[in-house]
Amino acid sequence: MSEENTDVNNIPINNSISEGNPNQLDQNGEISISAEGPKEVEAAEDVFEIIVKLPHTPYEIPLMVSTQEQVQDLRQSIIDTPKTFQYTCFHLEFNGTRINDFIELSEVKGLAAGSEVRLIEDPYTDKEARMHLVRIREVIGVAGDRVDNLLGIASGVSLHERVIPWNHLEMSSVRITKSGNSERSTGTENSLAEYDFDAPASISALEPPLPEPLPKTVKGLSVSPWNPPPHNLRQKGHLLYLQLTTQEGDQYHITSHVSGFFVNKSSNSKFDPFPKPPPKDAASHSLLNLITNLSPSFSKSFEALIESNNKRDPLANFQLTNAIPSNPWLVSPTTTSLAAHQPDITRVQETYLLAGVENTETLRDWNEEIQSTRELPREAVHDRVFRERLMSKILSEFDEAAARGAIMVARGEIAPLNPTESKEAQIFVYNNIFYSYGADGVGTFTSEGGDEAARVAVGKDVCGVKSVNQLDITGIHTAGTIIVDYLGKRLVAQSIVPGIFKQREPDEHQVDYGGVEGRDVVVDNEAFVPAFSKVSKALRVKRHPVWDKEGKKHMLEGSVETKGLLGTDGRKYILDLYRLTPLDISWLEEYWTDFVEGEVKPQDRDYPHRMTTLRPELIESYWRLKMSDYVKTEVERRRDASQKQIPSQSNADLTDGEASEPPSEKTNSHLVNGNAQIAEIMEERVDISAFNIVFNPDVYCGQAPQTDTEKEELINDEREVRAVCDFLHKKVLSELIQDLKEGEVGFPMDGSSLSRLLHKRGINIRYLGKVVSLAEHGDPRLQALKALAIQEMVARAFKHIANSHLKNVPTVFATTCIAHLLNCLLGTALNEKPSVEIDEDLRYLYPEGSYVFADITPDSLLADIEKNTRIRYRYTLIEGWLSDIKHLQLLREISLKLGLQMMAKNYRFDAGLKTTNDINSTNGNLAATMANGHANGNISNGSNGKKKKKTGDRGSPISSNGSGLPSPALTFVPDDICNVVPVMKDACPKSMLAEEALEAGRISMMQGNKEMGQELLVQSLTLHEQVYGILHPEVARVYHQLAMLYYQIDEKAAAVELAHKAVIISERTLGFDSNETVLSYLNLGLFEHSNGNTSVALSCLRHALELLKIIYGFDHPDSITTMNNAAVMLQQLKMFHESRVWFEASISVSEKVAGKSSVSTATLMFQLAQALALDGDSKGAVSRMREAYTVFLAHLGPDHRNTKDSEHWLEQLTQSAVSIAKQAKDLQSGRVRRVLMKPRVTLSTRPQPQVGQFSGDMVNGSTNGSRDLDPRSIDDLLRYIEGGGDTSKSTSKKRNAHNNPKRRGGNQIGVSS
């Protein structure tokens, strides 16, 4: 690989849109099309190198900077550079003038390439000294592991380095030479060797690599017991006292002074913080330099530590700043062993070091920070970038702080403001954040469903806040909001709106706009109308009348439940955004009975609540469809009028009419996904200002119009809402099923991807039962969808049941409760009657706790799950449904939904005697016979007794199993639940500026303008990195898309580099087994193969397949593409027999999910026939080709190209087989045989689409993702192999113009050279 292609930094990622690009970002950050040619972009980013002069060795360093960076970014670059680790307290000067840290470099006059900036050391303050100590402890490797309630065990871990070494580019054994041919060094290992398609999922695939022990630099560095300094010494500049123990065993007491750090005369028993006299004196401005002077071995060990850290990919080491790292649901036993917890006295002092003595430095006025950031200028592009960057940072910091406080509230560690109220009605304030339970504590939702309705309402409120934040409308403000689910409790955390707790006058209302007390009292303050009208217009909400309890009419811009509050800071706040869309009346009329006082509701029939609102994606999809119909009508009307008036223009009008045809079924599917190219074309021709479809969110909510006109208007509003419901039932649901059936979109892998797919189409999760019913009797491919949807319903039902118990269980019994519930669901094959032991000593300490979970039996739990599934999703589970559920996959779904971190081992879901522990056998740190968390294998099928009181000889009441008595055989024990982490839902919006550039790039690519699209996508990536930081899920997705772009335009090295980054960031932010991570690995393997690194590519594919087994199980529909890619890669390694095995495996899956006589399977048969020919099995090749030809003939007809190609191949293969049989004894004349045995021709690989993404969107922006069969004959193969020229080069472009019908899984894969 040439040097210039190996570094992705050579891609102009940080450059602005090129001068030759007519698509520009205007000063508002929006994409504008210039008809006057190229213009200079205002947001042009100037990157250059400056010299930083240092007071100590190496005395100067060069740094690359950008004019868009702030001075504090330059400071951070200096702090993070290995040669300048020692500097934390300093300022920068240029031309003798101090530079303000909070301005952009572009504002520093005279700063240009080659300029010298001088670093000046500053005197320390108390805070700076503490931050310096924290920083140096991290740098020299003595910080140790932190125990964090928010960040779980092994949070943000990446498996990338276990799958692919970071320096794999140098180690790769398969390379592409300058001549374009592949070469392989001897000893190449096939990562797919001995891969067992039928083997169960291996937990070891989720095992992070054991970290190598890092070189120790010092034995200890901590805060001294002599802290804090006395008042008289603080007057002399003393800030901190530290204690250092070097590797040589010497102990030093150090004073942190305003001037730096020096060794003092104190000891463990004597306090004398003044400098030691020579020759033992030592002092330095930096603690790092002081340690270097005191310890002879420090420099060498510190260099070894830096070198060891450099062996890892930097992205795997960087700390996440604007995103909360993912918490794995399986953790290695080594992370929970007693030996993993090392002593560190400073660990308990970190709160003091970070927040100070008074703990005030972490207290922030969150609301003022959020609202002040919203009010920053947004006119210029650089203003928008800075504003969105700061907003992303503040909201992520708020989410983290709010989640920490919510955990403390859930654990009962914070006192309520209203302790006399019921628990559900209690409110809390901590760290200037307001907390309340997501429950109906004051009876607000009694008629809507009580606690169930309240729980759903707060979830929809967060979604509403996120929608309003995304609109970013001037003059309207939202509170910082996040939901935290933890141990069965749902907590809502909000920034405190000024004036929300204000005691109003008797004649004043608590809110200034909307419903005050439900719908009884309504306020319509005209001051809120302008701002609220902007929100309503953007969200398709109709300005409509509502009536209070006295029958008085009020015109509101939003739902009566949406409130406006004028804060004491003068800002207008919008609150309670859980009703931005109308109710799903078709669902309510069928599955809900209104509450009547004095009557008992039929709980077994009714849906749990009435908060069944339609999804905003559905509203948007319906609006686009109606807008498309409107434009079509207008175009036809205009065309008819013009034909009558100017017949000579009829041809032109007809042309326009053809471009404005009504959307087909497929186009409507794309409209659902937001791809409304036809509608956009129509907008250019038709004035759509007269088109207006808006929806009244308060229909079917008890409104009482007074006049006939008002009643008629309400009836029309109701009719429009019913039309949307019909659109959902008759069109959206059926189109989803059809697209999944035909393989037109990426197939979901797990519950998360299925939920996202449904939501993207505007389908609520409550329609899972409907999805299963539609998939009940259909294509075999839909049976996979049915199984996945049933698994998701069961997991969600179990979550609701578990939460109902956990919210009243004392924290110390939470793992006991979870383990018992899991045993009743997944462990009945091992123990039909699992029992639970409750420590009576601990139970005595919590007399108010609920222990009903101990009485749950497998039968009662299954009955509850069936009831929840029937009520929530309107689906009746068939008898014996549990035996059809994939146990490991269901355990994963439950763990992710409840925030469980389970011990990684192979759980026993059956009564088999053999137990293994992949983690143990891999690490070798525990006995291989360990089962169910016990160190010995002596497990008896013991008692089914009830609760037993622990006796005195069992030791401490906190011991999990203090006795030596044998435990009953159970699949799960409490120790298997290593941790429970919070599950959060935030309201952070996406970057508008970055999304605009990204969407413009997509449109340009779809229109065939690759160069313009590339520039815009690169600009979008730059904006994503600036706004979110590198480690963020949105950045991972852009990396993935940009990698696909570079792959399509043959920039292979750049595609590989970006794909590696996408994989690591996805693992650390989304989860190392998330469906997006799996897809990233699959496409990384494709890119590596195209770049010549086939061995590395096979490692990626194997890891992705192992992950797919864990999260889905066997035979995922999209695994057909993966297996095809693997077969092609094995051909690249000239492993023809192994390649044949993988082709056969792909056909096996295709026959299950598509049917044996489908076009998809026939296409795979065609490929297998070629592979068999390559492997020398001419008889098998003829048989498979005949099967393919038969299917093509039956389904596509004799004139279709696929039929003709397969017929031609069949003739050639038959002739070859006959020739080989005749010449079997004459090897010298076996020319054709040699051709079939030793070809150098392979099929090409295909990228994998995202879940729900149309396959056609993957190929050069075309709406057709299918490709053709290989049309070459055996003569062409012969000519190519014998050196007669590369026929594929001349035919590949032609083939791309043809289309193969039906499914993506069976699309032919072209020929690569």
Side-chain angles (χ1 to χ4, degrees):
M1 183 186 301
S2 60
E3 183 178 350
E4 63 269 24
N5 288 333
T6 58
D7 189 1
V8 77
N9 292 325
N10 289 325
I11 305 171
I13 290 178
N14 292 320
N15 294 341
S16 63
I17 302 175
S18 64
E19 293 182 359
N21 182 6
N23 271 25
Q24 305 292 349
L25 290 173
D26 62 18
Q27 63 180 353
N28 292 322
E30 297 180 352
I31 302 302
S32 59
I33 308 297
S34 173
E36 301 177 359
K39 293 182 179 180
E40 185 177 357
V41 181
E42 180 183 358
E45 186 177 12
D46 193 7
V47 180
F48 54 91
E49 183 178 271
I50 63 172
I51 305 298
V52 180
K53 292 289 186 178
L54 307 172
H56 308 290
T57 182
Y59 299 110
E60 68 176 39
I61 58 168
L63 282 179
M64 295 296 298
V65 297
S66 163
T67 54
Q68 290 190 7
E69 291 181 356
Q70 288 192 331
V71 177
Q72 59 182 352
D73 296 327
L74 175 57
R75 282 178 52 93
Q76 192 61 43
S77 298
I78 295 172
I79 293 172
D80 291 338
T81 302
K83 293 182 180 180
T84 52
F85 276 156
Q86 67 266 34
Y87 302 107
T88 63
C89 184
F90 61 88
H91 71 270
L92 300 174
E93 291 185 357
F94 180 61
N95 293 336
T97 304
R98 179 167 182 159
I99 307 175
N100 189 322
D101 290 343
F102 299 98
I103 64 173
E104 288 189 357
L105 291 178
S106 59
E107 300 178 41
V108 180
K109 294 182 179 179
L111 187 66
S115 298
E116 293 184 354
V117 175
R118 188 169 299 277
L119 185 149
I120 306 298
E121 294 175 331
D122 285 338
Y124 287 96
T125 62
D126 180 83
K127 179 179 180 179
E128 291 285 357
R130 289 185 279 107
M131 293 300 103
H132 185 78
L133 173 60
V134 172
R135 170 65 178 166
I136 297 304
R137 276 173 49 83
E138 290 178 348
V139 166
I140 66 177
V142 295
D145 294 328
R146 294 182 174 91
V147 178
D148 195 307
N149 285 334
L150 178 61
L151 307 181
I153 303 169
S155 62
V157 70
S158 171
L159 304 181
H160 177 268
E161 291 180 354
R162 197 199 70 176
V163 181
I164 315 166
W166 183 43
N167 57 345
H168 75 282
L169 292 178
E170 291 76 16
M171 298 173 60
S172 178
S173 56
V174 181
R175 309 298 305 147
I176 296 295
T177 63
K178 291 183 178 179
S179 62
N181 296 322
S182 64
E183 60 180 20
R184 179 166 60 94
S185 61
T186 58
T188 299
E189 294 185 2
N190 172 18
S191 299
L192 297 178
E194 300 180 358
Y195 181 84
D196 189 350
F197 295 97
D198 299 323
S202 174
I203 299 299
S204 61
L206 301 182
E207 175 201 2
L210 286 178
E212 297 180 0
L214 298 174
K216 291 188 68 69
T217 55
V218 296
K219 290 186 176 179
L221 176 62
S222 60
V223 178
S224 168
W226 296 115
N227 278 290
H231 292 290
N232 60 317
L233 296 180
R234 185 171 290 277
Q235 299 296 324
K236 297 179 182 294
H238 290 211
L239 303 174
L240 280 174
Y241 300 125
L242 311 177
Q243 192 169 311
L244 168 71
T245 305
T246 65
Q247 282 292 88
E248 293 80 10
D250 298 326
Q251 187 179 80
Y252 297 92
H253 287 260
I254 298 173
T255 296
S256 172
H257 191 263
V258 292
S259 61
F261 298 83
F262 60 80
V263 178
N264 62 38
K265 295 183 285 187
S266 295
S267 66
N268 291 335
S269 58
K270 176 187 175 184
F271 179 61
D272 189 352
F274 295 100
K276 268 192 175 182
K280 295 185 178 182
D281 63 328
S284 176
H285 186 270
S286 170
L287 183 57
L288 186 65
N289 291 341
L290 179 62
I291 298 174
T292 304
N293 296 334
L294 295 176
S295 175
S297 65
F298 177 79
S299 295
K300 185 176 180 180
S301 59
F302 185 54
E303 291 178 2
L305 176 65
I306 294 177
E307 183 179 350
S308 179
N309 288 332
N310 289 338
K311 292 180 180 178
R312 299 193 64 196
D313 193 304
L315 286 178
N317 284 337
F318 287 160
Q319 184 177 359
L320 278 74
T321 54
N322 286 6
I324 295 176
S326 65
N327 295 303
W329 69 279
L330 284 176
V331 295
S332 171
T334 57
T335 60
T336 59
S337 66
L338 297 180
H341 197 60
Q342 298 296 316
D344 181 12
I345 192 172
T346 311
R347 184 162 49 217
V348 298
Q349 302 167 342
E350 280 191 348
T351 302
Y352 155 67
L353 292 175
L354 296 174
V357 177
E358 304 296 333
N359 195 29
T360 57
E361 293 177 14
T362 57
L363 296 179
R364 299 162 61 177
D365 188 343
W366 294 107
N367 192 74
E368 183 59 31
E369 288 189 41
I370 293 171
Q371 312 311 333
S372 298
T373 303
R374 283 204 176 100
E375 294 169 345
L376 289 174
R378 64 177 84 180
E379 286 74 22
V381 171
H382 67 273
D383 288 335
R384 292 184 65 184
V385 171
F386 174 73
R387 177 176 175 272
E388 291 184 352
R389 176 184 181 183
L390 188 57
M391 179 61 71
S392 175
K393 181 176 183 294
I394 290 175
L395 288 179
S396 64
E397 290 173 350
F398 168 79
D399 292 346
E400 184 174 338
R404 295 183 192 280
I407 293 173
M408 298 177 67
V409 171
R411 290 179 173 272
E413 298 172 10
I414 297 177
L417 298 180
N418 52 344
T420 59
E421 301 286 344
S422 64
K423 185 175 181 180
E424 290 76 12
Q426 289 178 350
I427 57 176
F428 309 81
V429 172
Y430 177 76
N431 195 9
N432 287 330
I433 300 174
F434 172 73
Y435 296 93
S436 60
Y437 286 105
D440 190 23
V442 294
T444 304
F445 296 95
T446 301
S447 61
E448 308 288 328
D451 288 345
E452 285 278 1
R455 185 182 182 92
V456 173
V458 295
K460 294 184 181 297
D461 181 39
V462 169
C463 295
V465 172
K466 187 172 185 176
S467 298
V468 174
N469 287 345
Q470 191 67 55
L471 296 175
D472 198 17
I473 294 173
T474 304
I476 200 72
H477 297 264
T478 59
T481 309
I482 184 176
I483 281 179
V484 180
D485 290 327
Y486 184 69
L487 292 177
K489 306 175 183 69
R490 169 161 287 191
L491 287 148
V492 188
Q494 297 173 300
S495 61
I496 301 176
V497 176
I500 197 168
F501 294 131
K502 177 184 176 182
Q503 292 294 327
R504 304 274 182 130
E505 296 296 329
D507 57 340
E508 287 185 323
H509 300 297
Q510 284 297 112
V511 296
D512 299 290
Y513 191 81
V516 180
E517 299 292 339
R519 295 182 293 270
D520 293 342
V521 180
V522 181
V523 183
D524 49 356
N525 188 335
E526 289 298 322
F528 283 82
V529 171
F532 270 53
S533 64
K534 296 178 182 178
V535 176
S536 298
K537 182 178 180 180
L539 297 176
R540 324 291 183 202
V541 176
K542 179 183 178 180
R543 175 180 171 87
H544 61 280
V546 296
W547 295 265
D548 58 21
K549 63 181 179 181
E550 297 177 357
K552 183 180 179 181
K553 177 180 175 181
H554 303 266
M555 294 298 296
L556 295 182
E557 292 290 343
S559 168
V560 69
E561 306 292 350
T562 303
K563 300 172 178 58
L565 176 68
L566 183 63
T568 55
D569 56 359
R571 299 185 178 105
K572 298 182 181 67
Y573 292 89
I574 185 169
L575 308 173
D576 293 349
L577 295 166
Y578 54 84
R579 279 270 301 281
L580 294 179
T581 56
L583 295 175
D584 185 354
I585 187 59
S586 62
W587 182 276
L588 287 178
E589 287 180 342
E590 190 170 359
Y591 305 121
W592 175 261
T593 304
D594 286 329
F595 175 78
V596 178
E597 191 171 351
E599 296 184 5
V600 179
K601 286 174 61 65
Q603 297 294 333
D604 291 339
R605 190 192 75 86
D606 270 10
Y607 194 65
H609 58 83
R610 200 177 185 272
M611 301 296 297
T612 57
T613 58
L614 297 170
R615 290 200 61 84
E617 297 91 342
L618 180 69
I619 298 295
E620 188 67 19
S621 174
Y622 182 79
W623 183 89
R624 289 180 181 274
L625 179 66
K626 288 299 181 182
M627 186 265 291
S628 173
D629 293 341
Y630 171 82
V631 173
K632 172 206 163 187
T633 303
E634 288 295 307
V635 168
E636 290 179 348
R637 182 185 61 78
R638 180 185 301 178
R639 184 176 57 196
D640 294 341
S642 63
Q643 285 176 343
K644 293 178 181 179
Q645 296 176 4
I646 311 175
S648 62
Q649 295 183 1
S650 60
N651 292 334
D653 292 331
L654 281 173
T655 302
D656 288 346
E658 289 173 2
S660 302
E661 282 295 315
S664 62
E665 294 298 312
K666 175 64 66 64
T667 304
N668 285 334
S669 297
H670 283 264
L671 281 173
V672 174
N673 288 275
N675 297 326
Q677 300 111 326
I678 292 180
E680 292 167 0
I681 293 173
M682 293 175 179
E683 285 184 34
E684 297 176 0
R685 298 187 176 93
V686 177
D687 179 14
I688 62 171
S689 59
F691 172 76
N692 184 34
I693 288 186
V694 287
F695 303 93
N696 182 351
D698 288 323
V699 295
Y700 304 110
C701 292
Q703 293 298 324
Q706 304 297 309
T707 66
D708 293 339
T709 304
E710 293 171 351
K711 293 177 181 179
E712 182 66 24
E713 181 183 2
L714 185 61
I715 291 174
N716 291 333
D717 292 345
E718 292 175 347
R719 186 182 300 115
E720 199 67 55
V721 171
R722 286 191 182 277
V724 180
C725 295
D726 291 341
F727 173 67
L728 169 63
H729 286 267
K730 297 178 181 179
K731 191 172 185 63
V732 177
L733 281 166
S734 59
E735 283 188 351
L736 170 69
I737 299 299
Q738 188 66 23
D739 287 341
L740 289 172
K741 176 182 177 181
E742 295 185 355
E744 292 295 336
V745 297
F747 202 89
M749 299 180 185
D750 59 356
S752 174
S753 56
L754 176 60
S755 300
R756 286 200 306 273
L757 175 60
L758 294 179
H759 288 166
K760 188 176 180 180
R761 297 292 186 105
I763 303 170
N764 300 85
I765 294 297
R766 60 178 173 269
Y767 282 99
L768 275 173
K770 180 70 172 178
V771 170
V772 173
S773 299
L774 292 174
E776 197 89 49
H777 307 289
D779 190 86
R781 183 182 176 91
L782 295 180
Q783 299 310 303
L785 174 65
K786 173 185 173 182
L788 187 59
I790 290 176
Q791 175 182 290
E792 179 68 3
M793 288 189 290
V794 171
R796 287 176 175 269
F798 181 90
K799 178 193 72 172
H800 288 293
I801 295 169
N803 283 336
S804 66
H805 292 286
L806 285 172
K807 67 180 181 181
N808 298 316
V809 170
T811 305
V812 293
F813 291 110
T815 57
T816 304
C817 174
I818 295 170
H820 180 62
L821 292 175
L822 289 175
N823 280 323
C824 290
L825 178 64
L826 300 175
T828 53
L830 187 64
N831 189 330
E832 294 182 356
K833 297 181 179 180
S835 61
V836 57
E837 289 190 0
I838 295 181
D839 189 324
E840 293 295 338
D841 294 334
L842 280 178
R843 180 173 181 171
Y844 178 77
L845 298 176
Y846 299 95
E848 297 180 357
S850 173
Y851 304 94
V852 179
F853 71 88
D855 299 325
I856 293 177
T857 64
D859 290 340
S860 65
L861 178 62
L862 296 187
D864 280 348
I865 290 176
E866 292 169 2
K867 177 182 176 182
N868 270 270
T869 304
R870 185 175 62 256
I871 292 176
R872 295 180 184 276
Y873 310 110
R874 298 299 147 176
Y875 183 76
T876 303
L877 294 170
I878 63 174
E879 187 176 353
W881 58 267
L882 185 58
S883 60
D884 297 329
I885 291 284
K886 302 170 185 176
H887 286 51
L888 178 61
Q889 287 70 35
L890 181 58
L891 174 62
R892 176 181 178 272
E893 293 293 345
I894 290 171
S895 299
L896 293 176
K897 287 173 171 54
L898 293 177
L900 308 182
Q901 289 193 288
M902 308 289 295
M903 183 177 291
K905 66 181 185 181
N906 283 338
Y907 291 96
R908 298 173 59 188
F909 297 121
D910 53 41
L913 297 178
K914 182 179 178 180
T915 61
T916 60
N917 190 317
D918 282 324
I919 299 297
N920 299 334
S921 61
T922 304
N923 295 340
N925 60 330
L926 294 175
T929 57
M930 175 178 175
N932 301 322
H934 299 280
N936 56 16
N938 299 325
I939 304 174
S940 66
N941 296 321
S943 65
N944 294 323
K946 293 294 180 180
K947 311 161 193 174
K948 297 182 180 179
K949 182 177 177 63
K950 291 183 179 286
T951 56
D953 59 358
R954 294 192 178 187
S956 169
I958 63 173
S959 173
S960 60
N961 190 6
S963 71
L965 299 177
S967 301
L970 297 171
T971 302
F972 302 94
V973 295
D975 286 347
D976 289 335
I977 294 94
C978 303
N979 188 31
V980 182
V981 295
V983 178
M984 292 168 283
K985 182 185 292 185
D986 61 54
C988 297
K990 293 182 179 180
S991 167
M992 295 281 290
L993 186 59
E995 290 298 317
E996 287 167 4
L998 181 61
E999 186 61 26
R1002 287 172 177 163
I1003 293 174
S1004 296
M1005 292 299 295
M1006 286 189 292
Q1007 293 174 346
N1009 194 336
K1010 292 184 180 179
E1011 184 177 353
M1012 183 187 302
Q1014 179 183 353
E1015 292 289 347
L1016 289 168
L1017 288 175
V1018 168
Q1019 178 70 10
S1020 174
L1021 174 60
T1022 304
L1023 294 171
H1024 274 86
E1025 291 177 337
Q1026 289 178 345
V1027 171
Y1028 298 113
I1030 299 294
L1031 297 175
H1032 194 279
E1034 294 299 327
V1035 177
R1037 295 180 181 115
V1038 175
Y1039 274 138
H1040 182 86
Q1041 294 180 35
L1042 199 56
M1044 188 69 67
L1045 165 70
Y1046 280 115
Y1047 170 74
Q1048 291 175 352
I1049 63 176
D1050 210 29
E1051 293 284 349
K1052 298 175 182 176
V1056 167
E1057 190 73 17
L1058 290 169
H1060 277 285
K1061 292 183 178 181
V1063 164
I1064 297 174
I1065 299 173
S1066 294
E1067 285 184 321
R1068 299 196 63 194
T1069 59
L1070 298 170
F1072 54 45
D1073 63 342
S1074 72
N1075 69 291
E1076 292 187 51
T1077 301
V1078 174
L1079 292 173
S1080 295
Y1081 266 113
L1082 289 173
N1083 285 332
L1084 173 59
L1086 170 65
F1087 303 155
E1088 285 281 14
H1089 168 67
S1090 68
N1091 202 32
N1093 305 327
T1094 303
S1095 182
V1096 173
L1098 293 176
S1099 296
C1100 294
L1101 288 194
R1102 174 155 191 155
H1103 181 66
L1105 287 170
E1106 294 288 358
L1107 291 180
L1108 198 55
K1109 274 188 180 181
I1110 292 174
I1111 70 175
Y1112 177 83
F1114 300 99
D1115 304 336
H1116 187 274
D1118 285 353
S1119 64
I1120 301 171
T1121 302
T1122 305
M1123 293 177 179
N1124 259 330
N1125 288 349
V1128 171
M1129 294 177 189
L1130 290 169
Q1131 285 186 351
Q1132 179 80 11
L1133 296 178
K1134 298 181 176 61
M1135 298 179 179
F1136 300 121
H1137 181 71
E1138 291 84 349
S1139 172
R1140 165 184 175 173
V1141 171
W1142 281 83
F1143 275 126
E1144 291 171 343
S1146 67
I1147 290 179
S1148 176
V1149 177
S1150 182
E1151 289 177 348
K1152 293 178 182 178
V1153 301
K1156 190 171 183 179
S1157 61
S1158 66
V1159 174
S1160 172
T1161 305
T1163 308
L1164 296 174
M1165 292 285 189
F1166 184 98
Q1167 298 171 0
L1168 176 59
Q1170 293 176 320
L1172 293 173
L1174 296 175
D1175 197 28
D1177 185 357
S1178 56
K1179 183 178 179 181
V1182 170
S1183 175
R1184 290 296 191 177
M1185 190 61 71
R1186 183 176 290 110
E1187 293 180 43
Y1189 170 72
T1190 302
V1191 175
F1192 287 146
L1193 183 63
H1195 287 268
L1196 305 179
D1199 297 329
H1200 193 274
R1201 177 170 179 176
N1202 285 7
T1203 308
K1204 293 180 178 180
D1205 286 344
S1206 58
E1207 182 180 16
H1208 180 65
W1209 267 88
L1210 180 58
E1211 294 173 357
Q1212 295 292 316
L1213 289 173
T1214 303
Q1215 293 175 8
S1216 299
V1218 172
S1219 176
I1220 290 174
K1222 290 180 178 179
Q1223 303 173 16
K1225 296 181 179 180
D1226 187 3
L1227 297 178
Q1228 296 301 322
S1229 61
R1231 176 179 173 85
V1232 177
R1233 185 180 180 188
R1234 289 199 306 272
V1235 170
L1236 295 176
M1237 290 289 289
K1238 300 292 183 182
R1240 297 184 313 217
V1241 181
T1242 64
L1243 301 171
S1244 67
T1245 51
R1246 298 189 53 231
Q1248 196 93 18
Q1250 296 283 349
V1251 172
Q1253 180 182 9
F1254 282 86
S1255 58
D1257 297 341
M1258 303 288 295
V1259 185
N1260 300 328
S1262 168
T1263 56
N1264 247 320
S1266 338
R1267 287 190 281 180
D1268 292 315
L1269 302 178
D1270 186 354
R1272 294 183 298 176
S1273 66
I1274 294 181
D1275 292 336
D1276 294 327
L1277 297 180
L1278 171 63
R1279 192 176 307 114
Y1280 177 78
I1281 294 165
E1282 296 299 330
D1286 186 356
T1287 60
S1288 66
K1289 291 183 179 179
S1290 63
T1291 60
S1292 59
K1293 292 184 179 179
K1294 295 180 181 179
R1295 281 195 306 276
N1296 288 336
H1298 297 280
N1299 297 313
N1300 187 35
K1302 296 298 177 183
R1303 302 179 187 170
R1304 206 171 35 77
N1307 292 337
Q1308 158 57 12
I1309 306 177
V1311 176
S1312 65
S1313 56

